Amino acid sequence: MTKPENNPKVTQAMINAYDEYTHLTLDRRDFMRKLTALTGSAATAAAVAPLLAANQAKAEMVAPDDARVKAEDVTFAGATGEIKAYKVRPANATGKLPAVIVIHENRGLNPHIKDIARRIALEGFEALAPDYLSPAGGTPTDEDKAREMISALKPEDATANSVAAVKYLESAPDTTGKVGAIGFCWGGGLANQTAVNAPDLKAAVAYYGAQPKFEDVPKIKAALLLHYAGLDERINAGIDAYKKALTDSGKDFQIFVYDGVNHAFNNDTSAARYNKQAADLAWSRTIAFLKQKLA
């Protein structure tokens, strides 16, 4: 039997194969076949695969029981039924706060996304992380199953539930009524769609998210902050046309492309794709943007 390398090298071709698997084919058997060909053996492929995937054991920068935040599970009326969500705010907050919807990746509402919600709360916001898989029974622990469930969602239903989240936060007694959204990967695309379909949304931040139809851009009222990974050819193919549509429509937007980093560079649970320098810079820009636009 071929033994795996002690420290297998993760190449760009391996990362590209993983991206194709998790965002396009959802065919794990084919992915492992490709990974075996790229690594030279099934044993090494088995060692590399966890490096490409997310490790939820590393998901917490702010612990769930951190005394600085107050978190709770809530529900709100979505367009397709009751939506479960994770809501968190600074523990010492006494007045109303601006609100931010945190939109998960195609893995569903997992510990990493809840951690991001807590990070946002520490910046002085009320954060709401909806489980967009609520109508299908909620996010499972199996990430492959979650991706399958996300792919089965009707895009228009997910968008309608996101618009409902905006309305929920607008009228919540502990918010100022000013609502922003931030999304990652699948959630980045949904952040763009929320901006198209929720005229009251004040700000949207999309991390490597699919662009909306360019004919829909004139509907956008929110200010936009768009983060892209330099090596993310699949998503980046739409940047130029999106930029032109936003410019032609006179929208308030900023675009940043982070050279030499991969899709999901913000996800610190994925060892092969996380890039701390790019993630920290994008995060600082994100918080400054949200504080400005939701003031």
Side-chain angles (χ1 to χ4, degrees):
M1 179 182 290
T2 302
K3 294 183 179 181
E5 300 177 30
N6 291 331
N7 295 295
K9 180 181 179 181
V10 177
T11 67
Q12 189 60 45
M14 297 173 193
I15 292 173
N16 291 344
Y18 183 78
D19 186 68
E20 179 183 15
Y21 152 56
T22 55
H23 295 93
L24 298 175
T25 69
L26 300 182
D27 186 337
R28 185 170 182 82
R29 181 175 296 181
D30 184 57
F31 163 65
M32 291 305 296
R33 180 184 60 78
K34 291 179 180 178
L35 193 58
T36 298
L38 290 168
T39 60
S41 75
T44 303
V48 167
L51 301 178
L52 296 167
N55 180 357
Q56 294 306 324
K58 299 180 179 179
E60 296 173 0
M61 285 191 181
V62 183
D65 60 353
D66 192 305
R68 296 173 296 169
V69 297
K70 178 182 178 182
E72 61 180 323
D73 295 321
V74 300
T75 60
F76 64 90
T80 61
E82 187 176 77
I83 303 297
K84 297 179 180 179
Y86 179 74
K87 187 170 78 168
V88 56
R89 59 192 276 121
N92 61 359
T94 56
K96 296 184 177 184
L97 299 176
V100 178
I101 303 166
V102 183
I103 309 177
H104 57 67
E105 301 169 314
N106 65 347
R107 298 178 178 90
L109 180 58
N110 59 22
H112 171 62
I113 295 300
K114 290 183 177 181
D115 183 53
I116 288 178
R118 292 191 294 271
R119 297 180 213 175
I120 288 177
L122 287 180
E123 297 292 343
F125 300 99
E126 175 160 299
L128 181 79
D131 185 351
Y132 288 87
L133 287 175
S134 294
T139 295
T141 56
D142 184 329
E143 290 193 349
D144 285 342
K145 179 62 176 178
R147 280 188 282 262
E148 291 175 3
M149 293 168 67
I150 289 286
S151 68
L153 288 179
K154 293 181 179 179
E156 61 270 24
D157 288 346
T159 299
N161 285 328
S162 208
V163 172
V166 175
K167 294 178 180 178
Y168 166 73
L169 287 173
E170 272 187 321
S171 60
D174 52 1
T175 77
T176 62
K178 294 183 178 181
V179 181
I182 179 172
F184 305 85
C185 180
W186 178 84
L190 187 52
N192 278 318
Q193 291 295 340
T194 305
V196 168
N197 290 277
D200 292 338
L201 189 72
K202 303 300 182 186
V205 182
Y207 277 75
Y208 26 83
Q211 299 83 9
K213 293 179 180 179
F214 304 123
E215 59 267 29
D216 288 338
V217 168
K219 300 177 185 177
I220 295 174
K221 303 298 182 184
L224 301 178
L225 176 59
L226 309 172
H227 298 301
Y228 294 102
L231 299 176
D232 189 5
E233 295 180 359
R234 178 177 58 90
I235 293 297
N236 293 358
I239 292 178
D240 288 345
Y242 193 23
K243 181 178 180 179
K244 183 179 186 303
L246 290 166
T247 301
D248 290 349
S249 297
K251 302 304 178 183
D252 179 358
F253 74 96
Q254 300 175 63
I255 291 178
F256 293 101
V257 179
Y258 300 82
D259 293 337
V261 302
N262 282 286
H263 183 91
F265 69 81
N266 183 74
N267 192 332
D268 54 294
T269 70
S270 180
R273 294 178 295 159
Y274 174 61
N275 184 285
K276 178 175 172 51
Q277 182 177 2
D280 287 351
L281 178 56
W283 185 256
S284 66
R285 287 169 169 165
T286 293
I287 297 304
F289 171 81
L290 290 172
K291 286 183 176 180
Q292 178 189 17
K293 301 303 180 180
L294 301 181

